[in-house]
Amino acid sequence: MSENSLGQPIPHDEEAVVIVGSGAGGGTLAYELTAKGIPCVVLEAGPYLKPEDYENDEWAAFNQMAWLDNRTASGSFRVARDFPNLPAWIVKAVGGSTTHWSGATPRFRAYEFQTRTYYGEIEGANLLDWPITLDDLAPYYDRAEIAIGSTHRHGRPALPANNNYKVFANGAEKIGYRFYATGPYGTNAEPYDGRPASVQDGFNFQGDKSTAKWSTAVREIPRALETGKLDLRPESQAVQVTHDAQGRANAVLYLDKDGNLHRQAARIVCVAGNSIESPRLLLMSASALHPDGLANSSGQLGRNYMRHTTGSVYARFDRPVRMYRGETMAGIVADEARQDTSRGFAGGYYMETLSLGPAFLAAFVDPGSWGPGYTEVLDAYENTAGLWIVGEDMPQETNRVTLNTALKDQWGLPAPDVHFDDHPNDVAMREHGYSRADLMYEAVGAVGTHHTPPYPATHNLGTCRMSARPEDGVVDKWGQAHDVPGLFVSDGSVMTTGAAANPTLTIVALAIRQAERIADQLGKGEL
Amino acid sequence: MPDNPTTDADRRASLVRLLRAAYPHPKFPDGPYERTADEILSQSQATLWHQLALTNGLDALDARAGGSFADLDDEAALALLKEIEDAEFFVFIRGVAVVTLYNDHETWELLGYEGPSFDKGGYLHRGFDDLDWLPSPRIEEYDGPEQLVEVAPDDMPAATAGDQR
Ligand SMILES: Cc1cc2nc3c(=O)[nH]c(=O)nc-3n(C[C@H](O)[C@H](O)[C@H](O)COP(=O)(O)OP(=O)(O)OC[C@H]3O[C@@H](n4cnc5c(N)ncnc54)[C@H](O)[C@@H]3O)c2cc1C
């Protein structure tokens, strides 16, 4: 038997809650449900790596954990040209992308749940109000912040200013920004929740060996295992969700690490594979009843793919900065995270400190570039400060995940294609962000700045959007498929629109809320 | 392919020269460039196509340089590379170079990057906040009199209460 299973074994024919993926969404859901005594099987495509296994080396860590199975990128975004097989940076391991996430945890603003109402009709944008409001989510945001241990919230102290933040915050202050701080950020400034305080080791986009950084791999999954209700199956990739004759989700077919196919019976199925793999799995689960893919009666499955409007600015100074020392993203400016179309675009954006080592900076600062202009940027490494722009991008029906039947993965399954074109609103926002970042850095003496285009997406959203009406989206306000009873989506793909905020806090809040709903419904025999 | 050691050594030398012209770092010694050249040569062995493209490409460069690319001065070498920017062998070289030259530990040191720190207790006591040419900024969230206006007055949805269907 080549199956890898940890925790309390659950028989394959026992109808359990089956969760696909163990990242922000799946890991949280597994913990919340098992803590309430509900047995869960978690199928996770990646291995269970422990903090001592994590690599503190950019390429080694990336190659250790990133999802590198065949994928394609298409459309006019630059990633499709520079990284045609790497549309996104997503982690394949227990803990999902929370193992590589950085930690910025702003909440959505109230208007961002109602963009159709606030932004009106924007040509080419498939805007829609969420079926829930900030008030609905607020209590779950509290619980998510407490779980993550976000700094500046619920009594958690702020992280200290590192070198990169000193440049960033001074620049912000000089140009009149007020709403900056070293958080909220999901890494401990002091010991909390059984995990230590940050040692400022500078490795955030890699697994955190110290465990000061929250991830579901260091919190939710180990705790779920302790309940005795979790059967965790790493290196187990779901390939199909099936339903019974009445159309109810009833099982998940998956491959173990040697490619043997297994079937796990399910009372309910919760898909949390992140916004590329979740729609891919449902598209691969097409059946006679659902010929265009499971839960795709609306035709919206895989569409409205969002990746946030991003860009980075690296500024050179004539004195040392050493941006790589310390917490990578413990610095946020929120002054531009608002709706004010006098700036020339709808929606808002944050600026957050960002640092890459020379290895990643060389690969991503200006892909394909070479020559003296390029090496000048790298030669200034020690004297460089960096930030990331992250803002709301417009959902577009044509930005979508489809099955690329011309390319197979290592199992012979169609690879996902990620098609993306920038919306003019995205471009206008990015340009605004670049110019504001230039002003910030010039205000504190930058001798030059470099505008870096978007990286492969770390924020992937929207492909199973939530909607009030079944014809507008894939899932309802609880994340349950409109057209497949017993099928839930539990990750960032349910986002109706993406807001400016980094998504993880919201994914965790939604998963806690969904767990409460599922437990309640199971208890009443309504699921 | 005939094994000709002299030619191979020449090729490695022109590759090192090419890398220096394409990725000029006056401070860098030969080591990082040589290790990158070796990695390019070794990766080119993986497919016959890259092997042929690299060999032909480097030979063509020599021909265009009127004999030996390695003898060109910096400016002339750069100008020649600009002309062949899209040639497949040069794209291949650059693809390997950016992930090798800058993943080299000697390069890190030359650029002033100290790398992993966990074993040394992080940068907590090793300068994570030693920048002293700017004042220490506030780390807490703003709590002064100004308010962040989430939605500008002109962007408030029109009072459409009567208009709702
Ligand atoms: C470098 C980096 C920095 C980031 N920084 C931040 C930040 O500062 N703030 C923030 O809010 N967000 C950040 N993010 C984004 C954050 O990590 C994601 O938003 C979040 O983890 C997404 O949660 P998820 O549950 O949707 O998916 P993931 O966390 O990606 O989990 C999905 C899991 O499902 C598994 N899976 C997929 N398909 C299958 C299948 N068919 N069968 C079995 N398992 C499957 C995957 O292997 C993976 O483990 C960052 C991400 C990266 C990569």
Side-chain angles (χ1 to χ4, degrees):
Chain A
M1 162 126 169
S2 56
E3 266 210 272
N4 188 352
S5 161
L6 290 154
Q8 181 64 35
I10 293 176
H12 284 180
D13 57 1
E14 185 177 314
E15 294 190 346
V17 172
V18 181
I19 301 171
V20 176
S22 62
T28 299
L29 190 66
Y31 170 58
E32 296 288 329
L33 290 175
T34 55
K36 294 181 209 298
I38 298 168
C40 295
V41 173
V42 169
L43 302 173
E44 167 53 58
Y48 196 178
L49 299 167
K50 301 291 167 55
E52 56 271 25
D53 303 321
Y54 298 158
E55 297 271 7
N56 276 183
D57 173 298
E58 292 179 309
W59 282 118
F62 187 79
N63 290 323
Q64 179 185 38
M65 273 198 244
W67 187 288
L68 298 173
D69 299 2
N70 278 344
R71 273 179 182 162
T72 52
S74 62
S76 58
F77 72 143
R78 196 170 148 184
V79 168
R81 185 181 87 209
D82 297 331
F83 306 101
N85 296 110
L86 194 70
W89 176 355
I90 288 173
V91 170
K92 184 187 199 177
V94 171
S97 306
T98 65
T99 53
H100 278 189
W101 88 313
S102 193
T105 55
R107 292 186 180 195
F108 282 24
R109 301 205 192 278
Y111 74 86
E112 291 175 316
F113 289 92
Q114 292 176 284
T115 55
R116 180 63 184 79
T117 300
Y118 279 86
Y119 305 172
E121 174 93 44
I122 295 182
E123 200 186 329
N126 193 17
L127 290 170
L128 183 71
D129 288 353
W130 285 58
I132 59 172
T133 65
L134 179 60
D135 287 344
D136 293 323
L137 207 55
Y140 302 97
Y141 268 140
D142 286 336
R143 288 169 61 182
E145 284 159 351
I146 290 165
I148 290 173
S150 294
T151 63
H152 301 81
R153 300 285 178 268
H154 312 286
R156 306 265 59 75
L159 279 156
N162 62 26
N163 292 336
N164 202 21
Y165 178 78
K166 286 186 183 178
V167 180
F168 176 85
N170 274 291
E173 179 70 31
K174 276 242 163 85
I175 68 164
Y177 285 153
R178 295 292 170 262
F179 302 94
Y180 61 83
T182 57
Y185 193 73
T187 292
N188 294 342
E190 64 178 20
Y192 172 69
D193 208 20
R195 290 180 289 111
S198 166
V199 294
Q200 305 281 350
D201 66 26
F203 284 83
N204 294 120
F205 293 166
Q206 296 72 25
D208 175 17
K209 296 178 87 71
S210 84
T211 72
K213 175 177 89 174
W214 173 86
S215 76
T216 56
V218 298
R219 185 178 188 273
E220 279 69 15
I221 294 294
R223 290 186 189 185
L225 285 168
E226 277 167 26
T227 65
K229 296 289 176 187
L230 176 66
D231 182 343
L232 172 67
R233 299 186 198 154
E235 297 178 279
S236 300
Q237 184 166 336
V239 297
Q240 205 161 51
V241 178
T242 62
H243 60 74
D244 64 17
Q246 284 71 49
R248 241 198 99 80
N250 69 351
V252 179
L253 303 182
Y254 66 97
L255 296 164
D256 65 29
K257 66 177 192 304
D258 299 320
N260 303 307
L261 196 64
H262 302 268
R263 177 182 189 275
Q264 175 62 52
R267 182 151 173 209
I268 64 167
V269 176
C270 304
V271 177
N274 206 325
S275 275
I276 298 176
E277 292 306 317
S278 288
R280 176 185 182 220
L281 176 61
L282 297 177
L283 288 167
M284 290 196 302
S285 303
S287 65
L289 210 57
H290 294 274
D292 301 323
L294 197 58
N296 195 18
S297 309
S298 65
Q300 295 293 315
L301 177 65
R303 295 185 185 271
N304 312 303
Y305 168 73
M306 295 172 288
R307 61 192 314 283
H308 270 148
T309 292
T310 67
S312 316
V313 176
Y314 293 98
R316 299 190 290 282
F317 295 85
D318 54 15
R319 278 168 286 194
V321 177
R322 301 193 181 96
M323 64 174 171
Y324 59 87
R325 292 183 185 168
E327 291 294 335
T328 306
M329 206 169 258
I332 302 182
V333 166
D335 296 66
E336 300 288 356
R338 57 201 169 87
Q339 164 67 354
D340 176 1
T341 51
S342 72
R343 294 174 300 178
F345 53 89
Y349 64 89
Y350 289 89
M351 289 187 271
E352 297 169 352
T353 55
L354 181 72
S355 156
L356 299 177
F360 268 25
L361 193 66
F364 295 110
V365 71
D366 194 357
S369 164
W370 58 281
Y374 170 81
T375 50
E376 183 188 15
V377 172
L378 288 153
D379 274 332
Y381 186 75
E382 226 178 336
N383 295 359
T384 298
L387 67 74
W388 196 49
I389 297 156
V390 52
E392 178 163 20
D393 58 337
M394 289 296 113
Q396 300 180 69
E397 279 198 310
T398 48
N399 285 346
R400 62 189 293 208
V401 174
T402 53
L403 299 180
N404 182 346
T405 47
L407 183 71
K408 302 287 191 285
D409 69 6
Q410 67 274 34
W411 310 115
L413 300 164
D417 178 70
V418 178
H419 182 97
F420 190 88
D421 300 308
D422 277 317
H423 188 280
N425 196 77
D426 307 344
V427 177
M429 179 187 288
R430 180 177 301 121
E431 289 305 323
H432 192 267
Y434 283 148
S435 70
R436 300 304 289 180
D438 285 351
L439 289 178
M440 267 171 64
Y441 284 133
E442 282 158 11
V444 283
V447 295
T449 62
H450 183 90
H451 297 172
T452 288
Y455 309 116
T458 52
H459 300 173
N460 297 277
L461 310 166
T463 52
C464 304
R465 69 165 20 176
M466 212 182 244
S467 66
R469 302 186 316 164
E471 54 269 43
D472 294 334
V474 178
V475 299
D476 69 10
K477 66 174 177 177
W478 302 106
Q480 182 163 206
H482 284 298
D483 53 354
V484 184
L487 174 65
F488 288 79
V489 180
S490 317
D491 61 19
S493 55
V494 303
M495 292 195 183
T496 312
T497 53
N502 313 57
T504 305
L505 180 74
T506 303
I507 295 172
V508 171
L510 287 168
I512 295 173
R513 176 174 170 274
Q514 186 182 64
E516 214 173 76
R517 167 76 175 180
I518 289 173
D520 177 64
Q521 297 264 294
L522 285 174
K524 292 184 185 147
E526 287 170 7
L527 258 181
Chain B
M1 224 180 270
D3 193 4
N4 185 333
T6 329
T7 321
D8 281 356
D10 287 351
R11 261 193 209 114
R12 181 175 184 261
S14 16
L15 195 49
V16 169
R17 180 70 192 91
L18 179 153
L19 288 169
R20 247 196 203 286
Y23 301 97
H25 293 281
K27 278 194 305 190
F28 284 19
D30 285 338
Y33 291 110
E34 285 169 356
R35 286 187 287 276
T36 304
D38 290 339
E39 181 64 22
I40 291 165
L41 289 168
S42 129
Q43 287 199 24
S44 74
Q45 299 299 313
T47 63
L48 183 57
W49 181 242
H50 282 146
Q51 204 178 319
L52 293 173
L54 188 62
T55 309
N56 296 341
L58 290 175
D59 287 350
L61 265 188
D62 281 340
R64 291 179 79 136
S68 168
F69 177 79
D71 294 339
L72 296 182
D73 64 24
D74 289 352
E75 214 175 306
L78 186 66
L80 186 46
L81 290 177
K82 283 252 156 69
E83 282 173 31
I84 58 124
E85 169 149 24
D86 297 324
E88 186 171 355
F89 86 102
F90 189 38
V91 173
F92 168 72
I93 287 173
R94 298 202 309 267
V96 181
V98 292
V99 298
T100 308
L101 182 59
Y102 300 102
N103 203 28
D104 185 286
H105 290 206
E106 189 179 355
T107 298
W108 291 359
E109 221 168 278
L110 289 159
L111 294 178
Y113 175 64
E114 297 155 293
S117 68
F118 179 70
D119 292 345
K120 303 176 186 125
Y123 290 109
L124 186 59
H125 304 296
R126 296 170 54 249
F128 85 102
D129 61 351
D130 65 356
L131 185 147
D132 58 6
W133 49 270
L134 286 169
S136 275
R138 161 167 63 75
I139 57 173
E140 298 294 343
E141 291 177 302
Y142 178 76
D143 67 353
E146 291 172 43
Q147 294 287 316
L148 188 136
V149 179
E150 290 193 7
V151 179
D154 286 350
D155 284 303
M156 287 307 277
T160 50
D163 181 56
Q164 229 134 62
R165 271 144 294 182

